[in-house]
Amino acid sequence: MTRGTREKHFMERYKLSIASAIVIVVGSCILIQIKASDTQKEYQTDYIETVKMQQSDPLGFVHTGDMTAFRTTAGAADILDADLLQAVQRATAGVANILDLELMVDEQITAMQNEVEEESEYANLAIAKVDNYVNVRSAPNTDSEVVGKMYDGSVAQILSVAGENGEWFQVVSGNVEGYIKAEYFIYGEDAVSAIDDYVTRYVVVQADRLNVRAEPDISSGRIGYIDNGERVKLIEWGDEWSKVDYAVEHTGYVASEYVTVAEEFIYAKSIEEEQAELAALQELQARTQASEEAAPERAVVTTPPPQTNFATVSELRGAIVNYAMQYLGNRYVHGGQSLASGTDCSGFTCYVYKEFGYSLSRTPQGQYTSAGRGIDMSEIEPGDVICYSSNGSTCTHVGLYIGNGQIIHAANSRKGVIISNYDYDGIILGVRSIVD
């Protein structure tokens, strides 16, 4: 059971107890009132009988004891009326106290809900830790249909816990939603501390066509090629040549000047997506058979250069903020790769800046250590990236400063992309200026 669920159940039981107490007190008041009414009726009957006796005995033969009993009874009625009044007052005060207590509890619930809402964006993040892959199933049992595969290092968002003993997670990863046994994941604080180890780096080709060579040398033979916009997994970056995972059992080298590096998380794959990926891999494999003469390299960069048509840096900063604001209200997706369909905090700043020709790390810690230059908080301007920490040492969240003491950021899976005060939560580790 999650922390939020436990708190919810506790508060529901607490409020139910309060409601029960109120019912008991009010019920007691009603019973006292009914009893008092019956007692008063008895006293009225006694009074009438006494009067009748006096009228029928003009010589005054009504016993003194009878009159004493009458006076005593009347006095008791007065005392009971006073006691009833005091009891009602005490009961009413008790109800008021309980209502005050309920109000106080409501305020505590609100405060706890706010605290939960500001929890780490990675609170329901899970990372697959398996030898190769684990099946994603349509129901929390091993007999249900396989709807996809989650490979080692894939990230997922935990939607709920299932199974008699909570041994299954219901997750969503990319376009795949289903159930996987919890034992195949790292999650919670372990996932937060390990997230930087599970980002995947790709090279994206900026030329019309780029040769992949067997060795990091222009004279080395070609083992294949990559067309504009296509990407392959990066093994090792170099200033001149970068090593890539080209095709099945093929590694090679590409000229670094014709590629950019993209950092992304990997998702689970549906059966259809895996088939499409296999077809693309087979296409790359087929290219290894093409001769260099039949498919020559066309190293002409066609991707437009970074935008530079701003008269001042201030205008550029304003354009970056205005662009980011278009995505206000969009959803949050762990490891997401699109501003439109959803991404996480570092993905948001990474992809916003990508539109302006800047390459930022895909993780919060990477942006804190390598994006732009570090500046003091007193120097902050719109467009700068504020780096936060939930543990005081590692950057676990980033937001884009928009001015007036506010940031826009992909907060978490409940809130999506929102605007917050710059000091809304956590520890500020530093500020990074990207554009100057």
Side-chain angles (χ1 to χ4, degrees):
M1 186 180 294
T2 63
R3 171 189 171 190
T5 304
R6 289 196 301 270
E7 291 170 345
K8 180 180 179 182
H9 287 177
F10 169 78
M11 289 308 172
E12 286 176 350
R13 290 198 299 270
Y14 201 111
K15 295 189 76 173
L16 181 59
S17 299
I18 291 173
S20 300
I22 294 173
V23 170
I24 291 171
V25 171
V26 174
S28 299
C29 291
I30 294 172
L31 290 175
I32 292 171
Q33 181 66 46
I34 292 172
K35 181 64 178 176
S37 178
D38 292 340
T39 303
Q40 287 174 342
K41 288 179 180 178
E42 292 175 7
Y43 297 152
Q44 288 171 356
T45 301
D46 291 343
Y47 173 77
I48 292 170
E49 291 297 323
T50 302
V51 170
K52 286 180 177 179
M53 292 173 65
Q54 286 178 324
Q55 290 174 345
S56 63
D57 188 6
L59 297 179
F61 290 116
V62 176
H63 295 293
T64 305
D66 293 332
M67 292 303 296
T68 302
F70 170 73
R71 287 193 296 270
T72 302
T73 302
D78 291 339
I79 292 171
L80 285 176
D81 285 343
D83 288 344
L84 175 62
L85 179 60
Q86 292 175 1
V88 170
Q89 288 174 339
R90 287 194 297 270
T92 304
V95 171
N97 289 338
I98 291 174
L99 289 175
D100 288 341
L101 177 60
E102 183 182 15
L103 178 60
M104 180 178 69
V105 170
D106 282 337
E107 292 174 350
Q108 291 175 343
I109 291 173
T110 302
M112 292 175 69
Q113 288 174 338
N114 290 337
E115 179 184 350
V116 170
E117 285 180 352
E118 298 305 338
E119 69 184 4
S120 167
E121 62 170 300
Y122 296 124
N124 56 351
L125 169 70
I127 304 172
K129 190 171 181 60
V130 294
D131 291 336
N132 187 9
Y133 69 86
V134 61
N135 289 325
V136 184
R137 297 187 177 274
S138 60
N141 61 72
T142 55
D143 296 326
S144 58
E145 178 188 3
V146 175
V147 296
K149 294 179 180 179
M150 196 157 184
Y151 288 86
D152 183 52
S154 299
V155 299
Q157 181 175 320
I158 302 172
L159 301 178
S160 66
V161 178
E164 293 184 1
N165 300 312
E167 71 271 26
W168 291 81
F169 282 164
Q170 181 188 14
V171 301
V172 58
S173 178
N175 297 317
V176 180
E177 182 176 334
Y179 296 84
I180 301 177
K181 281 196 170 182
E183 64 187 85
Y184 296 116
F185 289 109
I186 57 175
Y187 51 94
E189 289 301 319
D190 290 338
V192 173
S193 60
I195 190 66
D196 284 329
D197 298 330
Y198 288 92
V199 68
T200 303
R201 303 173 75 204
Y202 299 90
V203 294
V204 183
V205 176
Q206 304 299 298
D208 284 351
R209 175 170 293 167
L210 186 61
N211 287 329
V212 181
R213 299 191 177 275
E215 300 295 336
D217 192 284
I218 192 68
S219 62
S220 175
R222 187 181 73 168
I223 63 173
Y225 62 90
I226 316 170
D227 283 334
N228 178 261
E230 292 182 334
R231 66 180 191 175
V232 292
K233 186 176 179 180
L234 175 65
I235 298 175
E236 183 179 355
W237 174 262
D239 291 337
E240 295 185 7
W241 295 90
S242 293
K243 189 176 183 179
V244 297
D245 188 0
Y246 176 63
V248 179
E249 298 182 353
H250 280 84
T251 59
Y253 295 85
V254 295
S256 299
E257 63 179 307
Y258 298 118
V259 299
T260 59
V261 177
E263 292 182 331
E264 296 176 0
F265 295 104
I266 59 174
Y267 288 133
K269 298 180 178 67
S270 66
I271 302 302
E272 295 76 15
E273 288 171 332
E274 188 169 55
Q275 290 173 346
E277 188 175 277
L278 179 60
L281 195 59
Q282 290 172 340
E283 164 63 20
L284 281 179
Q285 188 70 22
R287 293 180 188 178
T288 63
Q289 310 302 320
S291 68
E292 194 163 351
E293 290 76 18
E297 179 178 49
R298 298 196 301 274
V300 178
V301 176
T302 56
T303 302
Q307 297 188 33
T308 57
N309 57 336
F310 296 98
T312 64
V313 172
S314 179
E315 286 185 9
L316 172 58
R317 288 178 176 277
I320 291 171
V321 169
N322 290 338
Y323 181 77
M325 292 292 288
Q326 296 180 79
Y327 299 97
L328 185 63
N330 280 27
R331 70 191 188 112
Y332 175 101
V333 176
H334 281 304
Q337 300 169 9
S338 166
L339 291 168
S341 59
T343 186
D344 50 31
C345 71
S346 54
F348 185 77
T349 50
C350 173
Y351 297 135
V352 165
Y353 266 103
K354 183 179 179 181
E355 293 300 314
F356 293 84
Y358 293 88
S359 179
L360 272 63
S361 171
R362 185 56 185 77
T363 66
Q365 180 67 12
Q367 292 185 16
Y368 172 59
T369 57
S370 65
R373 64 182 180 89
I375 61 172
D376 188 78
M377 192 69 198
S378 62
E379 303 175 76
I380 195 168
E381 295 185 60
D384 290 338
V385 175
I386 302 181
C387 303
Y388 301 86
S389 175
S390 60
N391 56 27
S393 58
T394 304
C395 182
T396 56
H397 190 72
V398 292
L400 187 72
Y401 187 68
I402 60 175
N404 297 319
Q406 294 182 313
I407 60 169
I408 183 171
H409 60 139
N412 53 46
S413 56
R414 288 179 300 280
K415 294 183 176 181
V417 179
I418 61 172
I419 291 175
S420 302
N421 291 332
Y422 81 94
D423 57 352
Y424 79 105
D425 189 38
I427 300 169
I428 296 178
L429 287 182
V431 182
R432 309 297 298 189
S433 177
I434 311 300
V435 300
D436 56 3

